[in-house]
Amino acid sequence: MKTVVIRNIDRADAVAIKRLGVLGTATVHEAYGRAGLMKPYLRPVWAGGEAAGAAVTVLVHPGDNWMIHVAVEQCRPGDILVVGCSADCTDGMFGDLLATSLKARGVTGLVIDAGCRDVKSLREMGFPVWSKAISAKGTVKATLGAVNIPVVCAGVNVEPGDAVIADDDGVVVVARKYAGEVAARAEKRHADEEAKRKQLASGALGLDMYNMREPLAKAGLVYLDEPETD
Amino acid sequence: MKTVVIRNIDRADAVAIKRLGVLGTATVHEAYGRAGLMKPYLRPVWAGGEAAGAAVTVLVHPGDNWMIHVAVEQCRPGDILVVGCSADCTDGMFGDLLATSLKARGVTGLVIDAGCRDVKSLREMGFPVWSKAISAKGTVKATLGAVNIPVVCAGVNVEPGDAVIADDDGVVVVARKYAGEVAARAEKRHADEEAKRKQLASGALGLDMYNMREPLAKAGLVYLDEPETD
Amino acid sequence: MKTVVIRNIDRADAVAIKRLGVLGTATVHEAYGRAGLMKPYLRPVWAGGEAAGAAVTVLVHPGDNWMIHVAVEQCRPGDILVVGCSADCTDGMFGDLLATSLKARGVTGLVIDAGCRDVKSLREMGFPVWSKAISAKGTVKATLGAVNIPVVCAGVNVEPGDAVIADDDGVVVVARKYAGEVAARAEKRHADEEAKRKQLASGALGLDMYNMREPLAKAGLVYLDEPETD
Amino acid sequence: MKTVVIRNIDRADAVAIKRLGVLGTATVHEAYGRAGLMKPYLRPVWAGGEAAGAAVTVLVHPGDNWMIHVAVEQCRPGDILVVGCSADCTDGMFGDLLATSLKARGVTGLVIDAGCRDVKSLREMGFPVWSKAISAKGTVKATLGAVNIPVVCAGVNVEPGDAVIADDDGVVVVARKYAGEVAARAEKRHADEEAKRKQLASGALGLDMYNMREPLAKAGLVYLDEPETD
Amino acid sequence: MKTVVIRNIDRADAVAIKRLGVLGTATVHEAYGRAGLMKPYLRPVWAGGEAAGAAVTVLVHPGDNWMIHVAVEQCRPGDILVVGCSADCTDGMFGDLLATSLKARGVTGLVIDAGCRDVKSLREMGFPVWSKAISAKGTVKATLGAVNIPVVCAGVNVEPGDAVIADDDGVVVVARKYAGEVAARAEKRHADEEAKRKQLASGALGLDMYNMREPLAKAGLVYLDEPETD
Amino acid sequence: MKTVVIRNIDRADAVAIKRLGVLGTATVHEAYGRAGLMKPYLRPVWAGGEAAGAAVTVLVHPGDNWMIHVAVEQCRPGDILVVGCSADCTDGMFGDLLATSLKARGVTGLVIDAGCRDVKSLREMGFPVWSKAISAKGTVKATLGAVNIPVVCAGVNVEPGDAVIADDDGVVVVARKYAGEVAARAEKRHADEEAKRKQLASGALGLDMYNMREPLAKAGLVYLDEPETD
C-alpha cells in the first residue's frame, strides 16, 4: 500500500525557504515554537555545509537504496531530498554519483536517516549531506519503498513540500503552510538578537536584560557568600 | 536544599592554571596520577579549541538553562564555566548570546554535559565549547538549579575553583589545591617526553628505551618465527 | 596460548596495496563483493587522512597498551598497525610518541578498536589514525596480548599481512591473497564510474542509465499524480 | 501554535483493535506491509505485558510531564496513551499514581518515548508500559505541550485514534482507517502460519515449502562439499 | 596520591537507611529534592532485587578488579559496595565468588559502574547487583585503585558512608548527614501518595486534585473540540 | 566470491561441547585464556536459557534473512546456529517459524548479531536465542550471503564447527580443536572454585586465600585510619 511515487506535490514558497535558510536552524526552530527539529544524531558529513529546500521525501528499507534512484527524477531546482528508513541502518546509501545527479537537477542537499559515503568527494563538490553515519557499506536495489509520502526522518514527520533548513546545528522542518509566517517571526527574532548581542558584548547581564532577578527570587533562589559548613 | 548561588569561591592559582593549559590534557592527566578525566563523549564543538580556567560550576535540569544565565554573573576573567545536568539531555542549552556574554567577562570556555548550538558562530568568535551533543533544541527557564556547588560533569566531580584544562583530547580537572604540584610534575613529564620523542624519531625502540624486554619475557611472551600449524 | 609474537608474516603485494589505496574504501569494498568493511564507529581522528598498508595485527586488553610497544618492532615500511581489543574500551592507548616511533619505521597509519590521544600532534605530524574514541585516558603496561595473530577489529577478522585501506569513509580489509585481483576489479569499477559521473552530471537519470524502470514496474511500483485522498 | 488539547477524536474500530491485539505485533506489522513499527529501543517495563488500544497522543518536553496529567482526562475505556517527547529524555515521567488514574479510566497501557518509574508497582498492578528507559528521575510541571495532535513516538508518526498494538516484540501502529482491513489480513496470515508451523515441526524445510531452491540457484548460490583451499 | 584504603569511615545511621530502603528509590529521590540519582544505564542483574546500605566505595581501572578484593575486608554488615571505574568498561569484574564473600560479611548488595557475571548464581543466592553490563569477561589484578575515597559512580559522587538505596527503578544516594531528614520527608511523601492513590483509583482526576486547571489556562492551554482544518 | 554453502564441516567433539555447556560461559572463557567472548550487547531473549552446540555459521545482509532459511538444511542435532551480519541491523530476522524448524532438526539454540522476534513463543517453546535486539521488524529474501564460512559475530570470528556456549552471562566460542582441552581445564577450574566458595562462605578473605597482601603492599597500597585532611 505504500510502494508509490507521488509526482505532483505542493512545495513551500521558494522565497520563504530562502529567508529561513538565511536565518539558520536555531533561530527557525525557536520561531516555530521549538518544533520541527530532527534528532541531533544527524550530523553534516562536512563542517560548514548549509542547505535549505522543499522536501522531496523517500522511504527506504535497511540495506537498500533503490528508491533514492527513483526519487532523483522527482526533484526540481531548490528541492532537498529527505530519506527515512523503515528501521535503523548505517549503510552508505548515498554517495558521489547520486550527488552528481542531484546537483545536476539543482537539488540543494540531502538529509538521510542512515549512512552516507564518498564524503571527501561530497566536500569537494560542495554538496551538503546530513546523515546518521559515514560508512563505505554498499547497498542493494531489491525492495520498493515510496517517494513523496509523509516520512519520519530522525524523529520528525516530514510531508512532501515542507521547508527543510540544515546547517552545523542540525536540521529543522517547517510545515509547508507555515513557512512564510515562521520566516517573518524568525527575522524579527534575529533582529532582536542582534540588539541583545551588542548589549551583552558591552558587558550587560542577561539577568538584567531579561528581568530574571525577580522571578528567580520568587522561585526561591538564594545567594550565599560562602558554602554552608556542616 | 540545593537552589543556591555561592558567590565567593577560592580559585586555583592562575599561574598554575596557565602552566597546565600549555601542557595539555594528556600530559596533565598522566601527571595527576591518571585521574580527573571527563568521559570521552564530551567533544569540542570546533576542532583546535583549547581552554584552561578556574571552574565556575552550574547544576541544571533537562530542558532548562535558567541557571546558566545566573552563573554568568559569578564569572571572572580566567574562569571556565562547567555545567552538569541532573539527567541525560542533549538540548542546545548554550549558544552564541551566552558566549558573547561570557567572552565579555573574560571567560575562557565552556564545558557542558548536555548540548550546544550556534556552533558556526562560536567557531567564528573563537569561543571554545566542549559538549555532549550539538543541537539547535531550545530550552525553557523555569526550574532552579545551583551555582558553585560541587557538580558531576561527564563522570568527574568538579568543585568550584578547580583547574579545568580542555583541548582536542578532552577535558581534565585538577583539584584546586593540587594545581601547582601537578603543573610541576606535568612540566617534568613534558620535558622527558621531548627527549624520548627525539630518540624515537631517530629509530630507537620503546622496547629498549623503557627496558620492556625483560618484564615481557618474565610475563611469558614468546617470539615465534612462524604461526604454529595445527 | 595466545601470548605470542609472530615474526615473519607474508604481506599482501605492495603494489596491489598502493593501487587499492588510490581507489579508496568505497570502491574497494564494492569490488571485494561488499565484504571486509569495519564498523562505521571507527572514525579518522583528523579529517582527510588516508592510508594503505599491510596489516601488522595486535591484540590488547582493556586499559593496557603494552603490546603496541611490542608490535612496533615487527613493523616495516608500508605496514599499517591494526589493534583489536578483547573487550570494549575507549582509553587513549595510542599517542604521539608511539606515532613518532611508527613513522620512523615507515608505517602508514594506525587502526585501533579503542581510543587515541594527542590528536592535535597527530594531525600536525600527518600521521593518520582511525579509532573508536578520542580520549586522554592513559593505560598501564601489565598484561600480555599477542602480535601477528588473527584479530577481530571493529567487526572484521584481520589476518597478518592483509591489505588495509582507510580514508574518510572508513576502513576496509582485503585478504592478502585477493589484493591484486580486487585492485584490478576496483580499477575497472572506478573507470566505469567516471563515465557514469559524466553522464549524470549532464543530466542523465540513473533510472535510465541502469535500466531500472522495467524492474521497478515489475516489482509493483506505481506512479500517481496526486496523493490518494481518504 | 501547538499548546492545544483536542477533545473529540475519531477512534479506530474497537473490534478491529481487539482482533489486532490477539494477533500480536509481528503478525500485524507484516500484514500492514511492514509498516508502523516503533524503534526497538522501546521495551516493556515488565515481561509478558500486552496491550491494544486507540491512541490518545501527548507531546511533552524533556523533564516535564505536565501534559500527561492533562491527557488523562481525555482517555476513555479501550484507549492507550502514547507519549512523544520533543527531544531525547530518559526521565521517569510516568509512575504508579498516573497508572492508577489511567487504570480507573479503563486505559489499556502506556507507550512513552522517555522514561518510566515505579516498575515494581506497575507489574503488580498489571498495567503494561513500553518505555525507552526505567528511571526514578522525577519531572517538573512547567511547560505546555499538546494532547491529541499527531506525535512522533520512537520513529512512528501516531495520529490520535490510531490502533496501537504492543507486546514483548515491541509496538506497532496501524492508521485508524486501515485497522479493520489489516486485522483481516493479519488473521489470514496467522492461519497460514499455523499450517506452516505444523509442517516445519514435522521436519519439512522452508527451502521446499517456500520454493526457494530455484530463485537461490538463479541468484548464484553455490553448494560446495568442502571449503576451497587456497 | 589515590592508592589508599581508608579504614574507618562514618556511616549513615542504620535505622535511617532501613527506613529509606522501605520507601524505594523514586520516593527517596523526590524527598531528597530530586538529587542523588544514578544514571539509568545501571540496571539490576535480576528483576525484583532490592538493597539499602551504607556505601563502602571502590575505585577501579578498566579490566582490573583487584581493589574489589581489597574492599571486601572493609565491609561490615549493612554495607553496600559501590564501585566506580576510571573509564568506561563492561568487563565482568564481579561474580559469585566475590558475592559469596560479601554475603558472608553481611553486605546487602553491589552497585558497579562496569560489568557483572554469574548472574544466574547471583539470582539463586539472592544477592542483588546493579551494573552497567552483564559480561563473562574476566579481569586481571595488576593495578591499584582506592577504597573509601569519594567515587563517581554512574554520574553521582558517592562519599564513603552515604546511604545507598537500590531497586527496580535504579539507585539513589543520600549524603550521610541527610539520611534521617530525607527518611522523614520521604515517609511523609509516601503517606500523602497513599491518600492520592485511593482518590485516583476511585476516578478523581489529577487535574482537579493538584489544582492544575488554572495554571494550565494561565500558561495558555487551549481546548478545542476538533483539530483545526487548514 | 562468498555466496556459497559449505555442506560438510568438521564439528567440535560432541562430548566436549556438553562438558563445556555444563560449566557455563564465565568458567569456559577463563579456562580458554580469557578469549572467545562475544560482546555483551548480545543478550538472551528470555532469561535462564542455556545452550551449547557446534556452530553452523551464516552470513546475512541488513534487512534480509534469506540465508537463515538456507542454513536450516545444513543443521544437525547438537548444532547451534550463529548468524553474523555484514552491517549493523536490528531487524527481527528470526522468529518462531524458523525456531520450529530448527527445533525439529535438533538444533540447541541461535546466536544472532541482529534482531529477533516472537520472543513470547520462543520462551514458551523453550528455544533459546541470544540477539542484539528484539524487534518485530520483518525482512526480505533477496540477497545471497553464505553458510559455513568463517563469520564475525558480535566481535568474535566463528569458524564452522567451533564449540559455542551460551547462557545468562553471554556467549563464548571455543575453537574446534581446543574444545576437549578447554573442557578439561574448565572442569579443573570449576572444582577449584567450589572449594574457594566454601572458604569464602565461611568468612575467609580473598586477600588471604589468594595471597594478595604482599603484592598489594609492593605495588604501593597504603592503609590509613582516616582520610587525610587538607
Side-chain angles (χ1 to χ4, degrees), chain E residues 57-101:
Chain E
T57 62
V58 194
L59 177 67
V60 299
H61 298 287
D64 196 307
N65 76 345
W66 211 9
M67 294 313 286
I68 302 181
H69 290 270
V70 173
V72 172
E73 190 180 24
Q74 306 305 318
C75 292
R76 296 190 194 160
D79 283 348
I80 191 166
L81 204 60
V82 177
V83 184
C85 188
S86 64
D88 286 338
C89 183
T90 59
D91 291 3
M93 293 196 175
F94 183 90
D96 62 359
L97 287 184
L98 277 164
T100 300
S101 195

Side-chain angles (χ1 to χ4, degrees), chain A residues 11-218:
Chain A
R11 285 161 167 90
D13 177 65
V15 172
I17 292 175
K18 278 196 185 141
R19 288 162 63 200
L20 291 167
V22 168
L23 297 161
T25 55
T27 300
V28 169
H29 160 70
E30 290 282 356
Y32 194 35
R34 290 187 190 140
L37 189 71
M38 291 192 183
K39 302 244 179 199
Y41 64 71
L42 277 200
R43 294 298 303 144
V45 302
W46 49 271
E50 295 179 353
V56 167
T57 63
V58 193
L59 177 67
V60 299
H61 299 288
D64 196 308
N65 75 345
W66 211 9
M67 295 312 285
I68 301 181
H69 290 270
V70 172
V72 172
E73 190 180 25
Q74 306 306 318
C75 292
R76 296 188 194 163
D79 284 347
I80 191 167
L81 204 61
V82 177
V83 183
C85 188
S86 64
D88 286 338
C89 183
T90 59
D91 291 2
M93 293 195 175
F94 183 88
D96 63 358
L97 286 183
L98 278 164
T100 300
S101 196
L102 287 179
K103 212 179 165 185
R105 298 184 79 78
V107 172
T108 62
L110 176 91
V111 176
I112 183 166
D113 201 353
C116 171
R117 61 183 181 178
D118 301 329
V119 299
K120 189 186 168 187
S121 303
L122 294 172
R123 191 170 48 220
E124 288 166 359
M125 292 169 64
F127 189 84
V129 173
W130 288 258
S131 75
K132 181 177 164 176
I134 292 170
S135 170
K137 180 71 172 63
T139 47
V140 299
K141 287 149 197 33
T143 308
L144 295 186
V147 175
N148 281 333
I149 63 165
V151 162
V152 173
C153 178
V156 174
N157 189 49
V158 187
E159 306 269 345
D162 282 352
V164 179
I165 314 301
D167 57 25
D168 280 353
D169 287 350
V171 183
V172 68
V173 181
V174 177
R176 185 171 54 82
K177 67 174 175 178
Y178 293 122
E181 182 187 335
V182 173
R185 252 189 282 151
E187 283 160 353
K188 184 168 176 334
R189 189 181 169 90
H190 178 72
D192 291 352
E193 287 200 343
E194 282 306 303
K196 285 178 195 160
R197 190 171 286 112
K198 273 176 205 159
Q199 284 183 271
L200 293 165
S202 69
L205 283 171
L207 285 179
D208 298 313
M209 276 169 56
Y210 307 124
N211 298 313
M212 287 175 170
R213 294 194 192 272
E214 197 188 311
L216 284 165
K218 209 181 261 176

Side-chain angles (χ1 to χ4, degrees), chain B residues 35-52:
Chain B
L37 189 69
M38 291 192 183
K39 302 245 178 198
Y41 63 71
L42 277 200
R43 295 296 305 144
V45 302
W46 48 271
E50 294 178 354

Side-chain angles (χ1 to χ4, degrees), chain E residues 38 42-46 50-53 56-58 60 68-69 71-72 75 79-84 91-96 98-99 102-103 107-117 122 126-133 153 164 166-167 170-171:
Chain E
M38 290 191 183
L42 277 200
R43 294 298 304 146
V45 302
W46 49 271
E50 295 178 355
V56 167
T57 62
V58 194
V60 299
I68 302 181
H69 290 270
V72 172
C75 292
D79 283 348
I80 191 166
L81 204 60
V82 177
V83 184
D91 291 3
M93 293 196 175
F94 183 90
D96 62 359
L98 277 164
L102 287 180
K103 211 179 166 184
V107 172
T108 61
L110 175 91
V111 176
I112 183 166
D113 201 353
C116 172
R117 61 183 181 177
L122 294 173
F127 188 84
V129 173
W130 287 259
S131 74
K132 182 176 162 178
C153 180
V164 179
D167 57 23
V171 183

Side-chain angles (χ1 to χ4, degrees), chain B residues 176-187:
Chain B
R176 185 170 53 82
K177 66 172 175 180
Y178 293 123
E181 182 187 333
V182 173
R185 251 187 283 152
E187 282 161 353

